[in-house]
Amino acid sequence: MMPHVPHTVRSTAVSPELSADVAAALADGRAVVALESTLLAHGLPAPRNRAAADELEAAVRAHGAVPATVAVLDGVPRVGLSPDELDRVCGAGLAKLSVRDLGVAVGLRRDGATTVAATAALAAAAGVVVFATGGLGGVHRGARESWDVSADLAALAGTGIVVVCSGVKSILDVAATLEVLETGSVPVLGYRTDSFPGFYRRDSGHPVPWRVDDPAQVAAVWRAHRGLGSAAGLVLAQPVPAADELDGALHDRLLADGLALLAERGITGKDVTPALLEHFHAGSGGASLATNLALVKANAELAARVAVELSR
Ligand code: PSU
Ligand code: MN
């Protein structure tokens, strides 16, 4: 006789675990905004990152939406984190997970912070439509030789989510990044701007294809984009508030030094973005950190307003 196997799990579906307030909000059709954890774990220095996590969630709540910070903890993909879980995300040593790493982290029961790509994938799987971050990953300078193109771009082309960001970091090849977004059929909207923002700077020097001036327009565009059958996400690019913009000369100097440092130290792959951000924070005496915090907070606020509009 075959021994009786009490429960054989055949389904391989892994769905993200929702926090109670995120689950309740989604069930009621209320506004939810996903927040990314790589910017906390690898983009901001500890312990400032922990306060930032709370500030971003508070900014979302202040504008009428429920925040859902996304990460993988003990192999469980989570959408909506408790204070203890945010402590873990902001502590030392968390892996940086892009989409390709999600199955590995789940299969091996690891912890990890999610990038824009991985956050978008998990948020969309949970039914969250709006997501706020700082800057998208993109095509790196010298990508013709290094082939360094962030998986964020492919993820956006295939994931139905609205990403509110301040453009892409000026450390990237902005023109090439915009081209790849076009190839991926990802609409790019400037929020109250005609210029694609450059993260630390309000203007990357490249125009945006379209401009919108209020959250209702974003909601109308999103509904039409999806209604017409597109599977792609949408980029809503908002420049950093003018008062928080990094000084232009300081920015250009740090960028040139930072790129030289990368080459000198042979930094590649997923370490490139965190290393450059850290170089900016150290080299600007904290000015770039203030800029970074201000822009992410403004994006969380705008994302909440868009999510509220979409929940109507
Ligand atoms: N925006 C920030 N800080 C960050 C990042 C974005 O303000 O740290 C992160 C995001 O998680 C983004 C990642 O997905 O950088 C891009 O990394 P890569 O270039 O290795 O794909
Ligand atoms: Mn890369």
Side-chain angles (χ1 to χ4, degrees):
M1 277 271 289
M2 284 276 289
H4 176 67
V5 180
H7 190 75
T8 309
V9 180
R10 284 185 170 278
S11 164
T12 53
V14 178
S15 30
E17 191 73 25
L18 309 183
S19 65
D21 54 347
V22 169
L26 288 172
D28 298 349
R30 282 182 286 122
V32 177
V33 170
L35 298 167
E36 188 219 315
S37 49
T38 289
L39 82 86
L40 298 172
H42 300 286
L44 302 172
R48 186 64 185 87
N49 57 352
R50 184 62 185 84
D54 285 341
E55 288 159 21
L56 296 178
E57 294 210 342
V60 170
R61 287 191 206 283
H63 291 266
V66 173
T69 305
V70 175
V72 178
L73 294 170
D74 302 313
V76 179
R78 294 192 171 276
V79 174
L81 301 181
S82 69
D84 284 355
E85 289 163 346
L86 287 172
D87 287 348
R88 286 175 66 184
V89 164
C90 295
L94 229 67
K96 174 177 165 184
L97 308 178
S98 191
V99 174
R100 70 166 183 169
D101 306 302
L102 286 174
V104 181
V106 171
L108 301 180
R109 303 212 161 91
R110 299 293 167 80
D111 295 340
T114 49
T115 63
V116 167
T119 304
L122 293 176
V128 178
V129 176
V130 186
F131 164 25
T133 186
L136 295 178
V139 180
H140 282 257
R141 293 170 189 232
R144 193 166 298 182
E145 279 76 39
S146 69
W147 294 70
D148 189 351
V149 178
S150 176
D152 289 357
L153 299 179
L156 273 176
T159 310
I161 197 147
V162 176
V163 181
V164 184
C165 63
S166 297
V168 297
K169 274 151 268 184
S170 43
I171 59 181
L172 299 172
D173 183 335
V174 180
T177 301
L178 286 167
E179 291 291 352
V180 174
L181 287 168
E182 181 182 336
T183 304
S185 296
V186 177
V188 176
L189 310 180
Y191 190 75
R192 298 190 175 164
T193 182
D194 297 305
S195 308
F196 190 62
F199 194 72
Y200 294 126
R201 301 284 302 160
R202 288 173 59 81
D203 183 352
S204 68
H206 300 268
V208 276
W210 297 96
R211 172 189 175 124
V212 291
D213 291 283
D214 61 59
Q217 286 182 316
V218 181
V221 169
W222 180 247
R223 289 199 178 101
H225 174 73
R226 298 296 277 176
L228 288 163
S230 175
L234 178 153
V235 172
L236 179 61
Q238 167 172 247
V240 63
D244 299 300
E245 190 177 28
L246 194 64
D247 174 73
L250 176 61
H251 169 272
D252 294 351
R253 180 169 65 72
L254 287 170
L255 179 57
D257 293 355
L259 293 170
L261 200 82
L262 287 180
E264 196 181 297
R265 298 200 185 149
I267 297 171
T268 57
K270 63 174 163 187
D271 299 329
V272 168
T273 300
L276 277 169
L277 289 170
E278 162 60 26
H279 171 75
F280 266 80
H281 296 335
S284 68
S288 74
L289 179 57
T291 301
N292 198 339
L293 290 166
L295 66 86
V296 188
K297 186 162 167 256
N299 294 340
E301 291 170 351
L302 177 57
R305 294 172 62 207
V306 170
V308 166
E309 201 58 54
L310 280 168
S311 71
R312 280 187 213 283

